[in-house]
Amino acid sequence: MTNFKKLLLVLIVGAVALLAEFGFHQPQLAFWLIVIIGGWMTISMFIGMVKTLASGKYGVDILAITAIVATLAVGDYWSSLVVLIMLTGGDSLEDYASRQASRELTALLDNSPQIAHVIKDTGIVDLPVDEVPMDAIVLVKPGEVIPVDGRVTEGSSFVDEASLTGESKPVDKVVGDEVMSGSLNGDAPLRFKVTKKAADSQYQTLVKLVKESQNKPAHFVRLADRYAVPFTVIAYLIGGIAWFISKDPVRFAQVLVVASPCPLILAAPIALIAGMSRSSRNGIVVKNGTAIEKMARTQTITFDKTGTITAGSLSVAKITVAAGTHTEAELLQLVASAEQESTHILARSLVQEAKKRQLPLLAVEELEERTGQGIQATVAGHQLTIGKADFVGCPKCHQKDQTAVYVAVDQKPVGHITFDDILRPEAAATMEALRKAGVRHLKMLTGDHQTIANHIAQEAGITEVYADCLPADKIKVIQNIPEADRPVMMVGDGVNDAPALAIADVGIAMGAHGSTAASESADAVILKDDLSPVAQAVTIAQDTMKIARQSVLIGLFICVGLMLVAATGIIPTLIGAALQEIVDTISILSALRAKNDRN
């Protein structure tokens, strides 16, 4: 039974019991109704408590169970009902917050391949990926996600594997090359032979890693549970002494009623829900309150590079021109003009760079695109050849670490243009803000080469870099971080980041253009195409936990005062339960401060 249904059941039983006692003057019926529901709830909580203790954890359950049993034992069933309402109400609030967070995620981009275009003798048939047989020939159109793993049999195209490998540079695929499910096809159709079933494909392998990671959660003690043990000991001590001195078991029940851990049960969840609401207003969907607690204490943050620290799209880095031919601006204008009608993945970057420099695009004539090689076109009376070094006639110009296009004007090589995955403009400021928030270690985990990773990390202000990382390598790095440097947060966007997001103490997915696998395995999702909310999330979490602690302590200190008074016997149990409601109200009003943005 869900927590909300338990709350509903308690409220219905309470209403029937009130009607029975005060409407039909049947106090015995009211008593047994509450005893039955209270007994069932107590047994259910006791079983849960035993399981919790067996896992090495502890919480507020034991004090609540004792309060219910004690009040029922002395016949004060109305006080038991109040405690039950508070318990089920607090659990329902936490469930409500989780459901609200899940609804916020429904609009996120889904990169999961679902359909494959299978080529048969009768034509092309669309099949669900799970039904695609081995050795089938599959067509993947330009701009589509590759549905299953295979080997290219026909065609040539650039394929974006960044979401799987972390490599920002598009990979040229020709006949005989392997393609991986979950990668994005570029500007030309490909036909490939299926080499693995969908269940064994690269994408599904990563999904399995995510599930395995989620089944190994880190040990974590929540705020309410940390206060529960000392508070329980104090309550038992005061109640026991009062019973011993007075020789009256009712005195023990009177103390435990005002000691009911409602500030722990209500104040902390309400503060966390308020903090989650504040996060949502700032473009950060946090899925549960435990994530807020962990974020507030984060000591280490690990970042993916492509699409997280960087923008995830290539931009013009450098224009190299042979002496005595053209200026940089002239060459860029010619090349961007020729590429303006091209569907090539780098064409958009060239056109954007020309527009940024306010260079007008010229008319294009006789455009011919050679798939996997480049283009030829006539611009302003010049014949341009743009593409790979061999295609342009400059075989010795190959660059190892950077993506580049080479340019020949009127059959003469005149230069080349290189591309970089550029740093997000807010990246360096975000790292500085995180350091000011108390995060001690900032690390980059990437599938890119060491030289590229080092360059980006230096620009961002990150000193610890792990390059050439496969998804399993990222998991190992996170697992090997010592306890003193935890909790650990992972920030990423691609399918390849999903296992690391799941295994980290807190996972944050860049959801604006990220994959569903990343968003589903993360504890929080940033809805903006912006890195700065990572620092905002930490700051909001710290503010939320500060207010939650204040609210809990306010309630507990008042409870301790009431316990001392109740120990004298001057507070009847029902009055004690009513006073507890006042304490709850004060704690809740304090906790609601967490929803407000700070100036």
Side-chain angles (χ1 to χ4, degrees), residues 51 102 110 124 141 156 176 193 260 262 305 345-346 376 397 464 477 490 533 552 594 599:
K51 290 179 180 178
S102 297
D110 185 353
I124 297 175
K141 300 175 184 178
S156 173
K193 186 177 183 179
S260 175
C262 295
K305 181 185 79 69
I345 193 169
L346 299 178
Q376 290 181 324
C397 299
E464 299 177 63
V477 171
M490 171 69 191
V552 167
N599 293 326

Side-chain angles (χ1 to χ4, degrees), residues 552-566:
V552 167
L553 287 172
I554 287 169
L556 293 187
F557 278 125
I558 296 174
C559 281
V560 170
L562 289 174
M563 279 190 281
L564 292 173
V565 175

Side-chain angles (χ1 to χ4, degrees), residues 157-274:
S157 180
F158 283 95
V159 173
D160 182 358
E161 297 179 342
S163 66
L164 295 168
T165 64
E167 281 273 11
S168 55
K169 184 165 62 176
V171 181
D172 187 14
K173 298 291 184 181
V174 296
V175 174
D177 287 344
E178 292 184 352
V179 290
M180 296 184 291
S181 64
S183 52
L184 183 66
N185 188 28
D187 54 357
L190 286 175
R191 296 189 180 202
F192 65 90
K193 186 177 183 179
V194 176
T195 56
K196 291 181 182 177
K197 290 186 176 180
D200 301 320
S201 66
Q202 182 70 17
Y203 188 90
Q204 292 302 324
T205 299
L206 287 169
V207 171
K208 288 175 187 174
L209 268 176
V210 170
K211 290 179 179 177
E212 289 172 5
S213 300
Q214 288 175 326
N215 290 331
K216 302 173 185 174
H219 177 71
F220 183 76
V221 181
R222 300 186 308 167
L223 170 71
D225 295 337
R226 289 200 301 274
Y227 286 114
V229 171
F231 183 66
T232 301
V233 171
I234 290 170
Y236 282 171
L237 190 61
I238 295 174
I241 292 172
W243 186 358
F244 177 77
I245 293 173
S246 67
K247 311 300 182 184
D248 183 2
V250 175
R251 196 69 57 85
F252 183 70
Q254 289 172 334
V255 170
L256 286 194
V257 166
V258 295
S260 175
C262 295
L264 290 172
I265 295 165
L266 290 177
I270 287 173
L272 294 173
I273 291 169

Side-chain angles (χ1 to χ4, degrees), residues 443-511:
K443 305 173 186 281
M444 179 189 289
L445 313 180
T446 177
D448 249 338
H449 298 305
Q450 190 75 52
T451 51
I452 298 172
N454 287 342
H455 172 68
I456 293 294
Q458 185 177 8
E459 286 188 324
I462 296 174
T463 55
E464 299 177 63
V465 180
Y466 298 83
D468 299 305
C469 286
L470 295 173
D473 297 324
K474 293 182 179 183
I475 289 175
K476 287 178 183 176
V477 171
I478 292 171
Q479 287 177 328
N480 290 333
I481 292 173
E483 194 62 35
D485 295 333
R486 290 181 177 273
V488 177
M489 181 190 295
M490 171 69 191
V491 185
D493 73 314
V495 178
N496 67 313
D497 299 317
L501 290 167
I503 201 69
D505 297 315
V506 184
I508 296 186
M510 303 289 289

Side-chain angles (χ1 to χ4, degrees), residues 31-109:
F31 171 76
W32 284 110
L33 280 170
I34 295 174
V35 165
I36 291 169
I37 187 66
W40 173 72
M41 294 285 288
T42 302
I43 292 169
S44 175
M45 289 174 62
F46 181 77
I47 293 170
M49 183 188 73
V50 171
K51 290 179 180 178
T52 301
L53 291 172
S55 68
K57 300 178 183 178
Y58 48 85
V60 300
D61 291 350
I62 187 168
L63 186 56
I65 290 170
T66 310
I68 294 168
V69 171
T71 48
L72 287 175
V74 298
D76 196 346
Y77 47 94
W78 293 115
S79 299
S80 300
L81 182 66
V82 171
V83 175
L84 283 170
I85 291 171
M86 291 301 102
L87 284 170
T88 53
D91 290 338
S92 298
L93 280 171
E94 289 191 278
D95 289 350
Y96 170 77
S98 296
R99 288 196 303 272
Q100 288 297 103
S102 297
R103 278 199 284 267
E104 291 275 2
L105 297 176
T106 55
L108 293 178
L109 182 64

